[in-house]
Amino acid sequence: EAAVTQSPRNKVAVTGGKVTLSCNQTNNHNNMYWYRQDTGHGLRLIHYSYGAGSTEKGDIPDGYKASRPSQENFSLILELATPSQTSVYFCASGASGTGGPEVFFGKGTRLTVV
Amino acid sequence: GDSVTQTEGLVTLTKGLPVMLNCTYQTTYSPFLFWYVQHLNEAPKLLLKSSTDNKRTEHQGFYATLHKSSSSFHLQKSSVQLSDSALYFCASGTGGYKVVFGSGTRLLVSP
């Protein structure tokens, strides 16, 4: 089964601080994604990537940066964390092709900004 | 841009009854449609998917039919069980990279 690992699983950050969420996948998938999950909003796409060195803005990119240094790794960076960024963040990977962009999720990171 | 709409935030049912969770989508290109299920404190997992118009897709007792004429992909089950209590997401992808999710429908099944 597809393996996506996120770290840390829980994080408490201070307002104005820098936060980096990391994601590693061992599936050799081209595509990787960062979503945040909030009650009433479902899963919202922050950034995604279709290969090493690429990053694309999703639907809610403001306040976030992303980095894809390799096929396996995709990071989400909050340069100046704010309380409104308190949420659960999911990383996912997926392969393009005839089977459709099915995604496989990591277990999530719970971020609290105080 | 692409979007997915789930109209019900919460559906509560008694065990053994049928259920239908609504999903409509708006995309520029011909899409793949997915249903994901998320149990409490777990990651979302794929339940079923389709890209074929008017063909029923089934998995674990759940089924859905993609209707491109009405841009719909509703999830159904004939008899819900307590273990079906979870958060269900409809999602759309266009064969490339971007996958967009709906806001989710929480299904609560009571004894």
Side-chain angles (χ1 to χ4, degrees):
Chain A
E1 184 169 314
V4 180
T5 304
Q6 295 182 229
S7 63
R9 294 293 314 283
N10 291 279
K11 172 76 176 177
V12 178
V14 296
T15 298
K18 182 177 181 178
V19 177
T20 300
L21 307 182
S22 299
C23 179
N24 175 274
Q25 56 105 355
T26 58
N27 314 306
N28 200 31
H29 285 159
N30 290 331
N31 306 332
M32 296 189 73
Y33 309 82
W34 277 106
Y35 294 89
R36 64 176 282 177
Q37 183 175 27
D38 304 286
T39 302
H41 292 281
L43 291 161
R44 292 183 289 175
L45 183 62
I46 306 171
H47 284 286
Y48 61 104
S49 167
Y50 51 85
S54 84
T55 60
E56 302 291 331
K57 293 181 179 180
D59 297 319
I60 53 163
D62 293 346
Y64 302 93
K65 291 172 59 177
S67 174
R68 182 88 181 270
S70 65
Q71 179 84 338
E72 298 78 20
N73 295 294
F74 190 41
S75 298
L76 185 68
I77 303 151
L78 291 67
E79 294 278 6
L80 294 169
T82 69
S84 65
Q85 294 175 313
T86 293
S87 187
V88 178
Y89 292 84
F90 284 98
C91 176
S93 74
S96 300
T98 56
E102 173 184 346
V103 297
F104 298 87
F105 286 89
K107 294 186 177 182
T109 295
R110 185 173 297 277
L111 174 66
T112 304
V113 182
V114 298
Chain B
D2 296 353
S3 64
V4 175
T5 301
Q6 295 180 249
T7 53
E8 309 100 352
L10 173 66
V11 172
T12 57
L13 284 172
T14 302
K15 181 180 68 173
L17 290 178
V19 65
M20 184 171 83
L21 306 183
N22 290 311
C23 173
T24 56
Y25 63 89
Q26 187 171 7
T27 62
T28 305
Y29 304 103
S30 185
F32 287 89
L33 267 294
F34 307 86
W35 277 99
Y36 283 78
V37 58
Q38 184 181 26
H39 289 96
L40 194 62
N41 297 322
E42 295 185 6
K45 293 182 180 179
L46 181 69
L47 181 59
L48 47 81
K49 67 177 182 179
S50 179
S51 62
T52 306
D53 199 13
N54 297 318
K55 180 180 178 182
R56 177 164 151 161
T57 300
E58 299 188 38
H59 186 62
Q60 296 182 340
F62 287 92
Y63 58 96
T65 303
L66 177 59
H67 292 296
K68 293 184 179 181
S69 61
S70 57
S71 298
S72 67
F73 191 57
H74 306 318
L75 181 68
Q76 297 179 264
K77 191 174 186 183
S78 58
S79 174
V80 295
Q81 304 303 309
L82 295 175
S83 58
D84 295 328
S85 293
L87 187 56
Y88 292 81
F89 291 102
C90 184
S92 169
T94 54
Y97 321 115
K98 190 175 180 180
V99 181
V100 177
F101 286 78
S103 56
T105 297
R106 184 167 297 282
L107 176 62
L108 288 178
V109 181
S110 59

